[in-house]
Amino acid sequence: MNVTATPAAKSSVVLEVEVPQERLARAVDDAVRALSRRTKVAGFRPGKAPRPVLERVLGPGAVLDEAVDHLMQTAYREALVEKAILPLTNAAVEVVQAEEGKPLIFKATVQVRPEVELGDYRNFNFRPEIETIDEPKVDKVVDELRDQNASLAPVEDRSAKKGDYTVIKMEGTREGVPFEGGTSERMPLIIGEDRLIPGFEDNLVGLAVGDKKGFDVTFPDDYFESELAGKDVHFEVEVRELREKIMPDLDDEFARSMGDFTDLANLRAEIKARLERNALDKARHEFADRIIEYAVANATLDLPDVLIDQEVEVMHDEFRASLARQGITEEAYLKVTNKTDADLHSDLRPDAEKRVKVLLTLSKVAEVEGIVISDPDVETEVERGRQRYSSDPKLLKYFDSERGRSFIRSTLRRSRVVESLVDAWLGAHPDHPALPHVEDGPASAMDSASAESSAAIDATDPGSVLDGHHHDHDHDHSHDHAHRSEPADAAHVDEPTAAG
C-alpha cells in the first residue's frame, strides 16, 4: 500500500492512499459473503446467494460499494499508523479510483492537532502600569458610601427635580389607542436617569404630588419593539409620590457607622489603602494580559476548525447562562435581535478563534517552561467541583472524568505559567514595586464561566489536545481561563464522495 501525507490548511493533512488491486479483489469476495449472509434472497439459504443474484436484488454496484467502504476503513487506519497521525475529526474522503482490476485510490482529509511555533514571549519592552490613588478617588468612594446609606424623605415644599424618586400613574396611547406596556398604576423611577423613553422624565420636572400632565414623546428608531420604533405616542401622567435622597453628614459619626473606624480620617486612610491594594492587583492582571497578547502575537499556528467550532459552542453556552442570570431566555433574545442560532455562532466565531489561539499558545509555553501540575493538585480541583456542583450530576460526571481532569490540568498549567512569567519579570526588576495578588492561594480551575460551560457540553480542552492527551476525555482575565475538540474515532471516515 502506498501512502503520501500532504499538509493542508487549517491544521489538516491530506492522505492519498493507493491499495493494490489484489486487496480490492479480496475485499470484493468478502463483500459477496457478507451481503449474502444478511440479504434474504428467494431460493437461497443465508450466505449462499451468488454475486449476480445479489446485484439483481441490491443493485449493480452494491457489492463493489460494500467492498470499497470496508477496504477504505481498513486502509485509512493503516495509513494513520504508518504516518503517525492523531486525528481530531473523522476524515472527509474522496474516492479517486474504484474499479475492479485496478488499485483502489482515495484521498482522506483529516484535521490534526496543530503545531504551535512559539516566538518570543519574554523579552517584551512594556512594564506594569500602576494606577495612582489620589484624594479625589478616595472622595468618590466616600460619596458612594454616603449614597448607599442615604435615606428617602417625602418632598413637601417644592416640585420635582432631577434626582428625585417618584411614583407615577401613566397611560400611553398611540393615535388614541393604548399600547402594550404603556400603562401603569404605579411606576417607580428616578427622575433624570432616563430609564424610560428619552424625554419622558424631563416632562416630570416641576410637577408636585397630585399634579397631572399630558405630553408627547417619540420612541427611538432602534427601539426593540418594531411596532413602536420611531413612532410618536402620547402620555397622561399623575405624580403619586415624590421623595428626595437625604445624604448622611460627612463626619466622624458617619465613619464609625461604616465599621470599626475611629473617625473620618481613619475611614479615608483605610479606603485609600484598599484602593492601592486593588491597583496593584489590577496592574498585575493587566500586565499578565499584555504578556499573553505578546506571546500570542509572536506565535505561529494554524487552527483546525474542530477546535474553533467547539469553542463557539462553549461561548454559546456561556452566553446562554449570562442571559439566564438576567432573566432572559435565548429564544426571547433571538426574537428581539432578529437573529438565528447560526447568526449568533457567526458573531461568536472571531472571538472563539482568538480564545483557542490563546489557549494553545499558553499550553505550548507551559510545556516549554516545564510547568507540571501534580495529581494531588488536580484532585483538589475535582473536590472543589464536587462541592460547587453537588446538585448537578452532569457537571459532577464531567469533572470526575478523564476529560474533565485534562481540562483542570490544562487550566492550571496555563494559569501558573503566566504567573511564573510575571514573577520572573518582577524578579529581574527588583526596583519595581511588588505586585501581590489580592486573592489568597492559587487560581482555581473552577472559577471561570468557561469551566461550567465546558462541562455542560462535555468539551475537550485544546491544551490537552496539544499535549496529545485528546483521547481522554465578572472579574475575568484571559489567563484565568481554560477551555477545550471532540476527538474523532481514528478508525472512522465520513461518507466518501466520488471524484469527477
Side-chain angles (χ1 to χ4, degrees):
M1 187 173 79
N2 294 323
V3 181
T4 59
T6 306
K10 296 187 176 181
S11 190
S12 59
V13 172
V14 178
L15 291 170
E16 185 161 357
V17 183
E18 180 177 325
V19 186
Q21 63 181 27
E22 295 82 4
R23 288 188 63 179
L24 178 58
R26 290 197 298 272
V28 168
D29 292 340
D30 292 340
V32 170
R33 286 190 290 272
L35 289 174
S36 180
R37 281 195 298 270
R38 65 175 189 257
T39 303
K40 290 184 178 181
V41 180
F44 293 91
R45 297 195 305 277
K48 299 300 182 180
R51 179 177 179 178
V53 175
L54 285 172
E55 291 184 331
R56 282 200 299 272
V57 173
L58 300 174
V63 171
L64 182 59
D65 288 346
E66 175 87 358
V68 168
D69 183 60
H70 281 271
L71 184 54
M72 280 199 309
Q73 297 283 352
T74 302
Y76 172 65
R77 286 195 297 267
E78 293 172 2
L80 291 178
V81 173
E82 179 179 327
K83 297 299 181 180
I85 291 173
L86 294 174
L88 294 179
T89 60
N90 296 331
V93 174
E94 174 191 351
V95 178
V96 178
Q97 177 176 282
E99 299 177 32
E100 292 186 66
K102 295 181 179 180
L104 170 65
I105 303 174
F106 66 92
K107 292 181 180 180
T109 302
V110 62
Q111 294 180 51
V112 297
R113 63 184 186 182
E115 294 294 329
V116 180
E117 183 180 335
L118 293 178
D120 179 49
Y121 57 86
R122 281 185 173 273
N123 301 311
F124 40 82
N125 59 8
F126 49 84
R127 301 169 62 92
E129 297 179 3
I130 304 174
E131 178 186 5
T132 300
I133 305 302
D134 54 19
E135 290 306 308
K137 289 174 181 173
V138 176
D139 292 340
K140 184 173 182 291
V141 175
V142 171
D143 289 341
E144 289 171 352
L145 290 174
R146 292 179 67 208
D147 185 73
Q148 292 166 12
N149 289 274
S151 58
L152 293 177
V155 174
E156 298 174 345
D157 56 352
R158 63 169 177 81
S159 57
K161 64 179 183 179
K162 289 190 176 182
D164 284 344
Y165 289 66
T166 185
V167 176
I168 62 170
K169 175 184 177 181
M170 70 176 190
E171 181 179 1
T173 56
R174 180 181 167 219
E175 298 177 349
V177 179
F179 57 87
E180 185 177 355
T183 300
S184 174
E185 287 295 317
R186 294 182 62 82
M187 168 66 74
L189 54 86
I190 302 173
I191 300 175
E193 289 198 347
D194 291 331
R195 297 284 182 85
L196 301 180
I197 310 165
F200 182 98
E201 293 168 26
D202 292 339
N203 283 281
L204 304 180
V205 174
L207 300 181
V209 175
D211 286 353
K212 299 179 180 179
K213 184 178 181 180
F215 54 86
D216 297 328
V217 292
T218 303
F219 277 93
D221 291 335
D222 59 353
Y223 192 66
F224 70 92
E225 286 286 355
S226 58
E227 292 183 359
L228 294 174
K231 300 298 190 297
D232 296 327
V233 295
H234 181 79
F235 280 98
E236 291 290 335
V237 302
E238 176 186 350
V239 178
R240 294 196 156 179
E241 293 181 19
L242 191 62
R243 298 175 183 271
E244 62 180 334
K245 184 182 291 184
I246 306 298
M247 303 281 277
D249 293 334
L250 185 57
D251 53 20
D252 293 342
E253 187 60 34
F254 166 72
R256 285 189 284 269
S257 72
M258 290 293 95
D260 189 19
F261 304 107
T262 57
D263 53 27
L264 185 58
N266 180 213
L267 172 62
R268 292 181 64 87
E270 288 295 327
I271 290 173
K272 186 173 185 180
R274 178 171 59 82
L275 291 177
E276 289 173 341
R277 290 194 300 272
N278 289 344
L280 292 176
D281 185 65
K282 180 183 178 185
R284 183 182 181 98
H285 280 303
E286 291 179 346
F287 184 51
D289 287 343
R290 293 189 69 185
I291 293 174
I292 293 170
E293 292 171 2
Y294 181 80
V296 172
N298 290 330
T300 302
L301 65 161
D302 199 8
L303 300 179
D305 282 335
V306 64
L307 293 183
I308 302 172
D309 292 342
Q310 183 183 248
E311 202 60 35
V312 167
E313 291 295 340
V314 171
M315 294 178 73
H316 189 177
D317 192 82
E318 292 172 6
F319 181 69
R320 192 181 295 116
S322 176
L323 290 176
R325 288 192 294 271
Q326 302 171 62
I328 304 171
T329 65
E330 183 178 10
E331 292 73 19
Y333 171 83
L334 293 175
K335 180 180 179 182
V336 167
T337 58
N338 195 30
K339 289 186 176 183
T340 64
D341 259 1
D343 294 330
L344 185 57
H345 280 204
S346 180
D347 293 343
L348 292 172
R349 193 170 187 82
D351 285 337
E353 187 169 344
K354 291 177 185 176
R355 188 188 274 187
V356 172
K357 191 171 184 180
V358 167
L359 297 171
L360 292 174
T361 300
L362 290 183
S363 292
K364 186 65 176 182
V365 174
E367 176 188 325
V368 171
E369 292 292 317
I371 302 297
V372 177
I373 304 301
S374 68
D375 289 342
D377 285 345
V378 174
E379 287 306 315
T380 297
E381 289 298 302
V382 171
E383 184 56 35
R384 285 181 181 173
R386 292 190 187 108
Q387 295 174 11
R388 184 163 183 169
Y389 304 111
S390 59
S391 60
D392 193 323
K394 182 177 180 180
L395 298 189
L396 287 176
K397 182 179 179 181
Y398 175 80
F399 287 118
D400 216 15
S401 68
E402 284 305 311
R403 185 181 285 122
R405 281 174 161 77
S406 292
F407 168 88
I408 291 168
R409 193 181 302 275
S410 295
T411 303
L412 293 178
R413 285 184 75 204
R414 285 190 291 267
S415 179
R416 290 185 188 178
V417 75
V418 174
E419 297 306 333
S420 73
L421 294 176
V422 172
D423 290 337
W425 187 93
L426 291 171
H429 298 79
D431 59 314
H432 194 279
L435 296 177
H437 278 295
V438 169
E439 59 269 8
D440 295 327
S444 170
M446 298 296 167
D447 288 342
S448 66
S450 60
E452 188 168 340
S453 293
S454 296
I457 71 165
D458 197 28
T460 300
D461 188 283
S464 63
V465 170
L466 191 63
D467 297 337
H469 299 148
H470 64 282
H471 57 285
D472 299 331
H473 283 313
D474 348 289
H475 181 59
D476 281 344
H477 302 279
S478 57
H479 58 281
D480 292 334
H481 288 233
H483 317 270
R484 312 83 343 254
S485 155
E486 185 69 28
D489 178 353
H492 188 74
V493 294
D494 285 338
E495 284 296 315
T497 57

